[in-house]
Amino acid sequence: MEKNAKLVFEPTPLWYTAIPPLAPQKLPSITPDQLASLTKKANDLHDADIRAFQSSSSPHSSSSETSFLSKIIQSGTLSDRLSALTLLVQSSPVHNTKALETLKGMAERGKGKGGREESLKALRCIMDWWVGGGAPDRKLKYFRDQPLNHPDATDKILVGWYYEDWLKKYFFSILQILETLSLDPLQYVRTQSLTLLFTFLRDKPEQEQNLLRLLVNKLGDTEKPLCSRASYHLLQLLQSHPSMKTVVVREIIALVLRPPAPSIVSSLPPSKGTHIRFTDPEPKPKSTSASPEKKSGNAHARYYAMITFNQIVLTPGDRDVALKLIEVYFEMFKELLGEDPEKVEDVEQEVVVQEQGEVLKDKKGRVKVRDGKKKGKGKVTEVKGAAGFAEVEDTHSRLISAILTGVNRALPFAKIDAGDSGLNKHIDTLFLITHTSTFNISLQALVLIQQISSTLSQSASAASTSTSKSIVDRFYRTLYDSLHDIRLAASSKQAMYLNLLFKSIKADVGNTNGERIKAIVRRFVQVLASSGSGATEFVAGGLYLLGEVRIESLVTVFAQVRNKLYSFSALCQAFAPS
């Protein structure tokens, strides 16, 4: 027990609680010579303290226990060695830096005999110690950032600061190992490294920027289960730390709009003999004749990014986050349409003049007509529904659908005014989609425009009333044209279309003397009278819709069309089940 008095820093598992806080003072900046001198002093004190701890006999570390653990570390099994090293670290982290270095050596691939399994187990031991109290609930500081010239800075405090500096660099080296494992060819190893990254990021703030970037980059992994898991971990992170929404959204935007994600730049010099991926220079382009399509980056990285955005829980106080989300959604629209703006139009022309090609069927029994001359990924497929009308499915349909869903969801929280110039550009993009994309996507764009116009009409100021009215007029003109679209009969979103039509009619009652709604209802009744292009359920739903919107302003419309079209009873008999 006498030897314990020689210890400058007493042994404790929670080492950061043993460093007393210093009263804030205005101190002069320290010179490089003073920093070097204090660093050497702290290093000598720390080394002397470790030697004193190893030769001491105390309840924390008896000589017999130390001898037993040393024997286990040298000749025990992998699990025994890891357990012994963990016990040593937990007893006093400040005095067992060698045990931490041993764990790091086992975590580095190629230095241990157990390969990947040993590496993952060693990293789990480090993680359990780190999140279980090995690190404080704050970011660590470098030795140079401490108030070294404070008059109350004792030798004990210097040792604590020196260990904190060492631990900060140590954790960064662990992060480099995790980055290497996150790029491993085996999916299992990448999955385990993803879980470790998430746990470190969720429980402690140290290196959170680098941890978040590594986690976000896995949205672009080659395996879809890993992309999905990365999205899940990001959403779990936001549940634990809702205030990180802005940071997470910013990092995902960096991946989506500027792929590949930039390398994590380290402020630390690389250690000798170690390949550090964080500080690698950006790879040079292989050739000057690179394809311009590479600008779009990883397609399913974008998709999983959009899926993650769509599941972020927004609150009325998250207006800035909602604005960023809307901005990136529309930026994605522009990039997708800018790759080949006439592609969908060309495909729809091919639907009319069909060439001989391979005939396939999907799982639902629908006929697919594929041009036999086209090869490779990214080709557009024409799917024929039961009524015989073609629905073109291009490679971006799923992504555009996810983006439209996201804008529809984020818009109420953004509180955008109709006079906003950026919004008007985005509206033009949506109208472009309604005229160039597939029917289902055009329908979703119309749903979005309807919600935007409805929101703007309710909150429009005097200065933006004319702009809002212009958007509403363009919407109803496009909706009127869509009633005679032949693809409506074969669409899988007829219920969505009827719902859109119902909301649009209800929202426009009383405007423009009811003439616009009368024209839409008149054309809609004509569509129903022509058997709805063969879609029985669409006709039945349309008749029910007309019954719901039968208001005073439309009585004259029904009276006019009654003499020219089928009566209600005739339509019911025509479509009654046999």
Side-chain angles (χ1 to χ4, degrees):
M1 298 295 292
E2 296 177 357
K3 293 183 179 181
N4 291 339
K6 296 181 180 179
L7 292 175
V8 176
F9 200 97
E10 65 270 16
T12 174
L14 304 177
W15 58 271
Y16 43 88
T17 60
I19 304 176
L22 299 178
Q25 293 184 14
K26 188 176 182 180
L27 302 172
S29 59
I30 193 169
T31 64
D33 293 338
Q34 290 176 324
L35 177 61
S37 175
L38 288 172
T39 302
K40 186 178 183 306
K41 178 183 177 181
N43 184 24
D44 295 340
L45 288 171
H46 185 235
D47 291 342
D49 223 37
I50 291 176
R51 290 193 297 270
F53 175 81
Q54 292 174 348
S55 60
S56 66
S57 58
S58 68
H60 297 283
S61 178
S62 64
S63 58
S64 59
E65 181 183 350
T66 303
S67 176
F68 173 74
L69 291 177
S70 300
K71 188 178 296 184
I72 290 295
I73 292 172
Q74 292 176 2
S75 59
T77 62
L78 175 59
S79 299
D80 292 339
R81 284 185 286 134
L82 290 172
S83 300
L85 289 169
T86 305
L87 287 173
L88 284 176
V89 173
Q90 289 176 345
S91 63
S92 179
V94 175
H95 302 97
N96 285 288
T97 54
K98 184 178 179 181
L100 284 170
E101 289 287 357
T102 304
L103 283 172
K104 187 181 78 170
M106 297 173 69
E108 292 177 340
R109 280 189 55 192
K111 293 190 176 181
K113 298 179 181 179
R116 292 181 175 91
E117 189 63 28
E118 178 178 335
S119 178
L120 291 173
K121 286 184 177 181
L123 286 171
R124 290 191 197 103
C125 290
I126 296 173
M127 180 199 69
D128 292 338
W129 167 74
W130 183 267
V131 302
D137 294 330
R138 59 172 175 82
K139 290 186 178 182
L140 301 175
K141 293 183 179 180
Y142 289 112
F143 188 73
R144 63 177 180 267
D145 297 330
Q146 302 285 3
L148 299 175
N149 52 356
H150 197 285
D152 297 333
T154 60
D155 290 348
K156 174 184 176 180
I157 294 177
L158 284 178
V159 171
W161 287 347
Y162 180 82
Y163 174 75
E164 184 173 343
D165 177 270
W166 178 90
L167 188 62
K168 187 175 182 68
K169 297 175 183 177
Y170 174 84
F171 184 72
F172 185 80
S173 64
I174 296 299
L175 212 58
Q176 295 165 1
I177 298 172
L178 277 172
E179 185 191 24
T180 303
L181 291 177
S182 69
L183 303 174
D184 194 273
L186 294 182
Q187 181 179 344
Y188 170 77
V189 177
R190 300 203 304 276
T191 303
Q192 295 301 311
S193 66
L194 194 63
T195 303
L196 292 170
L197 288 170
F198 165 69
T199 307
F200 279 128
L201 179 59
R202 180 193 61 190
D203 295 342
K204 298 294 177 181
E206 180 61 23
Q207 293 289 342
E208 61 181 1
Q209 187 71 20
N210 290 340
L211 285 167
L212 178 60
R213 188 167 298 176
L214 287 174
L215 186 59
V216 167
N217 283 347
K218 299 313 292 179
L219 290 172
D221 195 272
T222 54
E223 299 290 338
K224 292 183 179 180
L226 270 171
C227 301
S228 178
R229 181 175 288 270
S231 175
Y232 170 76
H233 283 325
L234 287 170
L235 295 171
Q236 291 294 310
L237 175 67
L238 291 179
Q239 286 188 5
S240 302
H241 305 283
S243 59
M244 290 186 67
K245 288 177 186 176
T246 303
V247 180
V248 172
V249 168
R250 185 176 67 241
E251 285 298 326
I252 299 179
I253 289 175
L255 172 71
V256 170
L257 296 184
R258 294 186 296 274
S263 302
I264 299 176
V265 180
S266 167
S267 59
L268 297 175
S271 58
K272 295 182 179 180
T274 304
H275 178 68
I276 301 179
R277 295 177 182 270
F278 290 111
T279 55
D280 280 349
E282 294 185 1
K284 298 180 180 179
K286 294 183 179 180
S287 63
T288 57
S289 59
S291 174
E293 293 182 359
K294 291 185 179 180
K295 181 181 178 182
S296 63
N298 191 330
H300 69 260
R302 290 180 164 192
Y303 175 71
Y304 281 100
M306 295 302 107
I307 292 298
T308 306
F309 284 155
N310 292 352
Q311 297 180 71
I312 294 178
V313 179
L314 298 174
T315 61
D318 294 328
R319 182 175 182 271
D320 293 338
V321 177
L323 287 173
K324 285 186 177 180
L325 290 177
I326 291 178
E327 187 66 29
V328 71
Y329 286 143
F330 282 108
E331 203 63 38
M332 288 291 297
F333 276 134
K334 294 176 183 177
E335 287 196 14
L336 291 176
L337 293 176
E339 289 178 6
D340 192 358
E342 298 181 356
K343 180 174 65 174
V344 179
E345 286 187 13
D346 295 340
V347 172
E348 291 183 349
Q349 290 176 4
E350 291 176 7
V351 172
V352 180
V353 184
Q354 296 181 6
E355 296 183 1
Q356 221 172 6
E358 183 183 358
V359 178
L360 300 174
K361 289 186 178 181
D362 61 6
K363 295 181 179 179
K364 297 182 179 180
R366 297 179 300 178
V367 177
K368 291 185 177 181
V369 179
R370 181 179 301 162
D371 191 351
K373 298 179 182 179
K374 294 184 179 180
K375 295 182 180 180
K377 295 181 180 180
K379 52 182 171 286
V380 182
T381 305
E382 170 192 332
V383 180
K384 286 191 174 183
F389 295 101
E391 177 71 16
V392 179
E393 296 182 349
D394 63 274
T395 54
H396 297 312
S397 295
R398 196 171 60 154
L399 178 57
I400 293 181
S401 178
I403 293 173
L404 291 173
T405 302
V407 179
N408 204 5
R409 187 173 172 273
L411 185 68
F413 300 95
K415 303 173 184 177
I416 302 178
D417 188 76
D420 184 75
S421 59
L423 176 65
N424 291 327
K425 294 181 181 178
H426 297 330
I427 293 293
D428 292 338
T429 303
L430 284 176
F431 277 111
L432 178 61
I433 290 175
T434 62
H435 294 297
T436 61
S437 191
T438 65
F439 182 81
N440 286 353
I441 292 177
S442 301
L443 175 58
Q444 294 181 66
L446 282 173
V447 171
L448 177 56
I449 297 172
Q450 193 274 334
Q451 178 166 345
I452 293 175
S453 61
S454 176
T455 304
L456 294 179
S457 299
Q458 295 173 3
S459 59
S461 60
S464 59
T465 302
S466 59
T467 306
S468 176
K469 184 177 181 301
S470 174
I471 295 174
V472 172
D473 291 343
R474 291 175 66 186
F475 165 73
Y476 279 101
R477 191 183 308 117
T478 307
L479 180 65
Y480 182 81
D481 293 338
S482 68
L483 283 168
H484 271 325
D485 195 318
I486 60 173
R487 299 173 298 174
L488 176 59
S491 174
S492 60
K493 298 186 181 294
Q494 292 178 345
M496 179 185 290
Y497 186 84
L498 291 176
N499 187 34
L500 170 65
L501 193 63
F502 177 77
K503 288 182 178 180
S504 302
I505 293 175
K506 282 288 189 181
D508 202 50
V509 171
N511 297 331
T512 63
N513 299 324
E515 294 300 325
R516 182 162 57 198
I517 293 304
K518 291 178 182 178
I520 290 178
V521 170
R522 187 179 293 109
R523 172 166 279 198
F524 183 55
V525 174
Q526 292 174 358
V527 172
L528 296 181
S530 61
S531 303
S533 300
T536 308
E537 63 279 3
F538 182 74
V539 175
L543 291 174
Y544 181 81
L545 182 148
L546 290 175
E548 291 294 319
V549 300
R550 189 180 175 92
I551 52 182
E552 293 182 4
S553 60
L554 299 179
V555 172
T556 56
V557 178
F558 288 111
Q560 292 173 5
V561 300
R562 182 174 52 189
N563 298 328
K564 300 179 181 179
L565 305 174
Y566 294 112
S567 63
F568 183 86
S569 58
L571 285 173
C572 291
Q573 292 176 4
F575 295 101
S578 57

